[in-house]
Amino acid sequence: MATKEKIILAYSGGLDTSVCIKWLQEKYGLDVIAVAGDLGQDHDGLEAIKAKALASGAVECLVVDMREDFANEYLTSAMAANALYENKYPLVSALSRPLIAKHLVDAAHQFGAKCIAHGCTGKGNDQVRFESSILMLDPSLEIIAPVRDWDLVSREDEMAWAEAHGIEVPTTKASPYSIDDNLWGRAIECGVLEDPWAEPPADIYTMTVSPQDAPDAPTYVEVSFEHGIPCALDGKQMSYLDIIYAMNGIAGTNGYGRLDMIENRLVGVKSRECYEVPGALALIEAHKALEDLCLERSVLHFKLGMEQAWAEQVYNGLWFSPLKEALDAFLADTQQCVTGTIRLKFYKGSCTVVGRTSPYSLYDFELATYNADDEFDHQAAKGFIDLHALTCKVWAKNRLSMGAKMHQFNAVASTADEFTGAGSAVVEAAEAITETAANAMPSHS
Ligand code: ARG
């Protein structure tokens, strides 16, 4: 008997991907090999996930503990990049997809499968991340996205289809939220959160307490880094993975790490996203504070732009792109001297850096102090400023010779011109300012 073609499926253990198994068998006559990973998400155990995949019809289910690799290969570069998409979101889901994709491609090679499937919808970023990663790792592979293709519109449709096909359906009432979580945090979407005016209900949170329920006394923690990677807490050497777990606990019990934001998805939709990212945000805060101490000014400033570019590449599913690789090389180079310790203070929802020290510190007390130890050359400042401002001084002289008024007041006046027609209060306010300015500057008119 001819053996069936095989397909690898990214399997989570949830209803969607369980239905995917049967759907792929029915529609394409494929043998489904499920791959499930532990990335530190809340789950019932890898063995239970495997049993469910097999019960749903998979011919095989690989379960992989991906936590060490996630921390040591993915969250290390995220740390070097202080990775925050739109300056806020630490890329919880975006960072996990390329690692899962790598395991899917490995499984395809191991089992001789030509095709990979995932359970993402057609509206999110995760489909882009899975597929872009897979295509970059092995461009010969084909991809099927059942949830994008099938006509099971509502959850009820899906439950009915599952029941009719002998797939175990959840007996508890389904959560109204769509949740994705791992070591680096938790993303919560949908339900009442789709109304951007609605305050997130307390029940969406599981990793953090509400700041008002947090302890009344502050908690202090010292985080040490070696070459940019967290390596100890309160002087105790620990693996990065264990530090992340510990920081999630410390920050979470102090009510720190909740985000509520409107986010721009790659597919063009603005979505309302809530996150719990206690450990990730606290570690990024600490890492930034250490960089403030150790990085030379122009490297630090230039790096900010590279960080944003890195976060966008990763958010957009381009983990394996050449630009991301080049940015990694730059960022890794900057981390050589990011070694030292940061003292954090957690208190009722806040995380504040209250101390920093490093053998590579560029903070020079004699240069910074205002006391008698001051070694800064105050006299040198005058010549410095003369040359620093020279080009702008020449420009200002030229403008004045052309009869121009002080340019900041002209700027207000031209803003007022642009708004005429709108008849708005803005125009009146701008006119009032212009008038005041004109009165205050009679010599220039
Ligand atoms: N908006 C976030 C992102 O694009 C979170 C996605 C969460 N995924 C999910 N399947 N609920 O990274």
Side-chain angles (χ1 to χ4, degrees):
M1 203 176 82
T3 53
K4 286 193 204 158
E5 287 269 2
K6 297 186 182 78
I7 186 164
I8 309 296
L9 169 71
Y11 185 68
S12 71
L15 179 66
D16 281 346
T17 50
S18 299
V19 170
C20 282
I21 296 177
K22 264 273 152 40
W23 189 86
L24 287 164
Q25 286 175 342
E26 284 216 341
K27 171 128 181 153
Y28 296 105
L30 297 164
D31 270 348
V32 180
I33 295 155
V35 175
D38 183 358
L39 287 120
Q41 75 274 32
D42 196 18
H43 62 72
D44 302 332
L46 289 181
E47 285 312 308
I49 295 178
K50 179 171 179 169
K52 192 158 177 202
L54 298 175
S56 305
V59 295
E60 178 71 76
C61 179
L62 301 184
V63 289
V64 192
D65 185 349
M66 303 181 190
R67 292 173 304 163
E68 288 283 352
D69 287 349
F70 190 42
N72 298 333
E73 288 171 33
Y74 289 71
L75 303 182
T76 44
S77 347
M79 182 69 20
N82 295 314
L84 296 173
Y85 178 65
E86 296 184 334
N87 275 329
K88 299 187 197 71
Y89 162 50
L91 298 168
V92 175
S93 307
L95 286 160
S96 72
R97 297 308 188 254
L99 174 56
I100 300 170
K102 206 163 83 151
H103 284 277
L104 297 173
V105 172
D106 284 350
H109 295 162
Q110 183 187 336
F111 288 92
K114 297 193 189 82
C115 214
I116 291 180
H118 62 73
C120 305
T121 69
K123 207 160 142 176
N125 295 314
D126 290 327
Q127 53 172 346
V128 183
R129 296 166 182 155
F130 273 134
E131 296 185 29
S132 304
S133 299
I134 292 165
L135 293 175
M136 280 179 247
L137 290 168
D138 183 348
S140 75
L141 288 167
E142 274 195 53
I143 296 158
I144 300 179
V147 179
R148 215 162 53 190
D149 297 344
W150 68 35
D151 49 8
L152 305 170
V153 185
S154 65
R155 190 169 164 93
E156 287 69 43
D157 286 350
E158 212 181 313
M159 298 262 277
W161 196 95
E163 256 176 335
H165 290 79
I167 296 167
E168 187 194 333
V169 294
T171 46
T172 49
K173 200 170 169 295
S175 155
Y177 310 113
S178 162
I179 292 162
D180 184 50
D181 63 329
N182 60 48
L183 281 178
W184 210 227
R186 219 169 143 256
I188 312 118
E189 302 168 321
C190 302
V192 66
L193 301 175
E194 286 177 357
D195 174 1
W197 183 250
E199 182 175 350
D203 71 355
I204 70 165
Y205 299 111
T206 62
M207 295 176 79
T208 55
V209 302
S210 156
Q212 78 205 32
D213 298 332
D216 290 325
T219 305
Y220 288 87
V221 188
E222 290 182 8
V223 190
S224 301
F225 293 82
E226 205 170 316
H227 308 305
I229 314 291
C231 64
L233 280 191
D234 288 330
K236 188 171 168 251
Q237 293 289 322
M238 288 163 70
S239 72
Y240 184 23
L241 178 63
D242 289 341
I243 290 177
I244 296 167
Y245 274 119
M247 286 303 279
N248 277 334
I250 296 164
T253 46
N254 281 284
Y256 176 71
R258 294 182 174 185
L259 296 178
D260 172 358
M261 64 184 280
I262 298 294
E263 176 179 302
N264 289 286
R265 286 191 192 162
L266 178 61
V267 293
V269 177
K270 278 193 193 291
S271 68
R272 202 281 185 84
E273 304 279 339
C274 292
Y275 297 106
E276 291 187 280
V277 277
L281 284 192
L283 289 170
I284 290 172
E285 276 309 307
H287 181 257
K288 279 185 183 174
L290 187 58
E291 289 188 327
D292 288 344
L293 195 65
C294 301
L295 295 188
E296 185 275 329
R297 181 180 61 187
S298 32
V299 173
L300 186 78
H301 289 184
F302 190 76
K303 184 171 182 282
L304 292 173
M306 301 302 104
E307 292 175 354
Q308 212 165 70
W310 193 97
E312 271 176 33
Q313 285 283 300
V314 174
Y315 186 85
N316 292 342
L318 301 174
W319 179 271
F320 296 106
S321 75
L323 174 55
K324 148 75 174 46
E325 198 174 299
L327 291 169
D328 272 334
F330 169 82
L331 293 169
D333 192 76
T334 63
Q335 298 304 293
Q336 291 175 48
C337 58
V338 184
T339 294
T341 298
I342 296 297
R343 190 159 75 243
L344 296 176
K345 175 183 180 179
F346 292 96
Y347 180 63
K348 286 202 170 289
S350 72
C351 168
T352 319
V353 173
V354 293
R356 61 285 271 166
T357 176
S358 165
Y360 297 101
S361 172
L362 302 179
Y363 180 87
D364 186 326
F365 180 80
E366 274 80 27
L367 286 179
T369 185
Y370 281 93
N371 75 18
D373 299 325
D374 187 1
E375 286 180 3
F376 184 84
D377 183 351
H378 290 244
Q379 297 315 311
K382 169 145 184 21
F384 166 73
I385 297 164
D386 284 345
L387 299 187
H388 171 68
L390 184 58
T391 60
C392 293
K393 187 170 139 191
V394 171
W395 168 83
K397 268 166 114 176
N398 171 269
R399 257 189 93 97
L400 289 170
S401 76
M402 309 282 276
K405 291 182 192 168
M406 289 292 286
H407 72 278
Q408 64 264 44
F409 299 125
N410 283 343
V412 175
S414 70
T415 313
D417 286 342
E418 277 168 37
F419 276 96
T420 358
S424 68
V426 178
V427 177
E428 279 163 42
E431 274 168 7
I433 295 168
T434 316
E435 212 173 283
T436 320
N439 291 340
M441 295 260 142
S443 59
H444 285 289
S445 49

